[in-house]
Amino acid sequence: MIYLKRKIDHYLTEWKNTSGHTPLIVKGPRQVGKTESILRFGQENYDHIVYINFIEEPKYKGICEDGYRTNNIIKNISRIDPSKRFEAGSTLIFFDELQSFPDIATSLKFFKLDGRFDVICSGSLLGISYQRIESNSVGYKTDYELYSMDFEEFLWAKKYTDSTIMEMLTHMKELTPFSKLEMDIYQELFLDYCILGGMPAVVREYIERGTFEGTLALQRQLIEDYKEDIRKYADGMDQTRILNIFNQVPVQLAKENKKFQISKVAKGARFKDYHGCIEWLESAGVIQICHCLHFPELPLRSNYDEAKYKIYLRDSGLLTSMLDDEAQDDLRANKNLGVYKGALYENIVAEALSKCGYSLYYYKRENSTLEEDFFIRTRKSLVPVEVKATNGTAKSLRSLIKSDSYPDIQRGIKLTSGNLGFEENIYTFPYFCTFLLRRYLADAAW
């Protein structure tokens, strides 16, 4: 089975090489590659890996019965499996499926103070009682969030190198249009990524076969797995409400007004009854919330209306798999996004911005047509980002830049299917460049 290079690979190496590093907790939804990446890192960097999966081997939930100190835990692990080796300085202890046994987090303090072994914990956010883990290990752990593959990792899977990424970034910095050949290649790759998403099993199937064969079945199985986890971990009536929210995401994104409406979820549904369900899905890493700003100005945090938001899926490939069968035929056979074009491009941009580390915000002015899809910030200014399904004008974007009412906004970004461009302080980039926006803005004097 081929291994797909991930950004966490570099992070894990840096973590190991940092003097005095604390135990690491890798969080993320199911099936995004946490276990595979950590085990590969362990095999390449340690003489011994002590791997414990609390779901597959529940007998290990008893290893803390004599306390949380390192010697007690090691002794109990050895009693269960005498073949496991603990050699100071060359052993990685990997506790997997942490959500099934959050008590082990209490031991992280003692592993850190002991200092003989590197420790990594991993678990799905679905059902994870992270407040409990946080309180049991505060100050003695480092967190890392892993999500599905971004477009850069997809390019790596297709054997493109970092030099290709740097060439794309140089085009953006110098506003040098891509050649027709470059545009054709990158747009084709990006459309494949839009359809497939970044779930490693799906991408691997596509890479190994060289076709879309089998990918839709894998995506739909992942959707069913997510639903099963909701039934498993969510309590009582919330199960139905959470599933209703989840199922409504593609339906409401396909509408012209993409604002998520609780009233459309179920008869008599109210915000106060469903707000906790939305937060549950967000903390599980399944969806991401885009909040509506009170006004487009800095700072962004706390400057939004809690009752107005859009909901996007964390993986656009899973979104496409939830569309009807006719849309699937169009997507995979004809590569035609049809009526879902706007929804899919918005979702893919939201996903890319989130994976760059941005929180998501939009703005809709009351009693006006002025509406902006996303906002990101630099050190000095607020940057509106408009997603255009067609290469049309960006009326709202121009209004925000030109008006004296928005002093924090001097420039904007328009994402389209077309080439690079610049006009009236609007920078136009192809969709496939979205994953580079943070690097681009870091070097720009905005």
Side-chain angles (χ1 to χ4, degrees):
M1 185 173 71
I2 61 171
Y3 178 74
L4 301 174
K5 177 184 174 184
R6 303 297 303 276
K7 292 180 179 178
I8 192 177
D9 300 341
H10 177 69
Y11 177 86
L12 290 171
T13 300
E14 284 196 330
W15 167 78
K16 183 181 188 301
N17 293 335
T18 300
S19 177
H21 56 264
T22 58
L24 179 65
I25 295 182
V26 178
K27 304 181 291 181
R30 63 149 62 226
Q31 300 296 323
V32 293
K34 299 184 297 295
T35 300
E36 182 182 14
S37 294
I38 295 167
L39 285 176
R40 181 180 174 86
F41 162 74
Q43 290 161 2
E44 293 181 346
N45 290 275
Y46 298 87
D47 295 332
H48 309 285
I49 303 174
V50 176
Y51 176 63
I52 294 173
N53 183 311
F54 289 116
I55 287 182
E56 294 179 358
E57 301 175 291
K59 60 189 176 184
Y60 282 102
K61 293 180 181 180
I63 60 177
C64 298
E65 288 181 355
D66 296 324
Y68 296 97
R69 295 189 179 278
T70 300
N71 284 338
N72 292 334
I73 289 176
I74 289 174
K75 181 174 64 177
N76 285 332
I77 292 173
S78 297
R79 280 175 177 162
I80 296 170
D81 184 356
S83 69
K84 294 190 186 298
R85 293 288 174 262
F86 295 88
E87 186 175 316
S90 61
T91 300
L92 173 67
I93 302 174
F94 178 15
F95 295 120
D96 203 2
E97 302 294 358
L98 178 63
Q99 77 280 0
S100 186
F101 187 55
D103 280 357
I104 194 64
T106 304
S107 71
L108 300 185
K109 171 183 178 179
F110 299 99
F111 276 110
K112 165 59 181 167
L113 295 175
D114 181 278
R116 287 177 291 165
F117 311 105
D118 283 350
V119 179
I120 298 179
C121 298
S122 178
S124 166
L125 289 187
L126 286 169
I128 199 166
S129 179
Y130 206 68
Q131 284 185 334
R132 183 176 172 189
I133 291 170
E134 185 75 33
S135 64
N136 288 351
S137 55
V138 63
Y140 294 97
K141 66 171 178 61
T142 301
D143 292 326
Y144 182 91
E145 291 200 32
L146 182 66
Y147 293 105
S148 63
M149 300 167 68
D150 66 10
F151 187 52
E152 183 170 12
E153 291 171 316
F154 181 78
L155 289 175
W156 291 343
K158 292 287 289 182
K159 304 303 181 186
Y160 289 90
T161 65
D162 289 338
S163 63
T164 299
I165 312 300
M166 289 307 300
E167 286 174 10
M168 294 170 73
L169 184 57
T170 300
H171 274 284
M172 296 173 69
K173 290 179 177 180
E174 298 178 357
L175 285 175
T176 307
F178 293 97
S179 69
K180 183 181 184 305
L181 178 63
E182 288 173 321
M183 286 294 293
D184 289 345
I185 290 172
Y186 296 146
Q187 285 179 329
E188 179 84 5
L189 287 164
F190 185 73
L191 186 54
D192 285 353
Y193 176 69
C194 287
I195 295 169
L196 294 162
M199 300 302 280
V202 177
V203 175
R204 184 179 290 111
E205 187 80 4
Y206 163 77
I207 295 295
E208 290 180 343
R209 289 180 179 269
T211 70
F212 290 108
E213 183 184 352
T215 57
L216 179 58
L218 274 174
Q219 290 170 319
R220 287 184 166 170
Q221 184 56 54
L222 286 168
I223 292 291
E224 291 307 310
D225 290 344
Y226 278 144
K227 290 180 179 179
E228 182 58 35
D229 278 345
I230 290 169
R231 297 184 189 98
K232 180 179 179 181
Y233 291 115
D235 296 326
M237 274 295 292
D238 281 349
Q239 293 179 12
T240 301
R241 289 175 177 168
I242 291 170
L243 284 167
N244 285 343
I245 294 287
F246 182 63
N247 290 328
Q248 273 286 306
V249 173
V251 176
Q252 299 211 21
L253 276 179
K255 295 178 179 178
E256 188 173 348
N257 175 18
K258 296 177 178 60
K259 172 190 167 188
F260 197 85
Q261 297 174 284
I262 290 292
S263 60
K264 304 291 186 184
V265 173
K267 188 176 180 180
R270 295 175 297 177
F271 174 76
K272 69 183 185 72
D273 296 326
Y274 278 81
H275 185 57
C277 301
I278 293 169
E279 288 184 335
W280 192 96
L281 281 168
E282 183 181 33
S283 67
V286 177
I287 64 169
Q288 47 198 347
I289 309 300
C290 184
H291 295 285
C292 184
L293 294 172
H294 288 302
F295 190 79
E297 63 182 356
L298 296 172
L300 293 173
R301 293 188 183 278
S302 302
N303 174 26
Y304 60 83
D305 186 338
E306 278 197 350
K308 294 179 182 178
Y309 48 85
K310 299 178 184 180
I311 296 180
Y312 301 101
L313 286 190
R314 278 278 185 184
D315 185 85
S316 295
L318 295 186
L319 173 66
T320 64
S321 75
M322 295 173 75
L323 304 181
D324 56 54
D325 289 338
E326 290 75 14
Q328 299 302 328
D329 292 340
D330 242 8
L331 278 167
R332 285 167 167 79
N334 305 319
K335 296 194 174 180
N336 176 26
L337 304 181
V339 296
Y340 296 102
K341 183 183 293 183
L344 184 54
Y345 280 145
E346 263 197 45
N347 201 96
I348 201 77
V349 169
E351 179 186 350
L353 293 177
S354 180
K355 287 176 177 177
C356 284
Y358 291 113
S359 297
L360 302 181
Y361 303 95
Y362 77 102
Y363 178 63
K364 173 74 170 73
R365 191 165 69 190
E366 295 292 337
N367 304 317
S368 169
T369 58
L370 192 149
E371 182 172 4
E372 198 53 72
D373 299 316
F374 300 103
F375 288 86
I376 55 182
R377 68 161 301 170
T378 66
R379 291 184 297 274
K380 303 175 183 177
S381 62
L382 184 61
V383 182
V385 178
E386 186 150 329
V387 180
K388 301 297 290 185
T390 59
N391 294 330
T393 59
K395 184 179 177 182
S396 292
L397 193 53
R398 293 201 309 274
S399 297
L400 288 168
I401 294 169
K402 289 181 177 179
S403 174
D404 293 334
S405 300
Y406 312 104
D408 290 333
I409 299 173
Q410 288 86 43
R411 303 172 183 84
I413 291 172
K414 182 171 71 170
L415 299 169
T416 76
S417 58
N419 214 320
L420 293 157
F422 175 73
E423 186 178 11
E424 298 182 280
N425 280 334
I426 296 174
Y427 294 76
T428 301
F429 299 121
Y431 289 116
F432 58 75
C433 289
T434 309
F435 77 97
L436 288 167
L437 280 183
R438 195 174 195 104
R439 273 171 270 185
Y440 169 78
L441 290 173
D443 294 333
W446 289 23

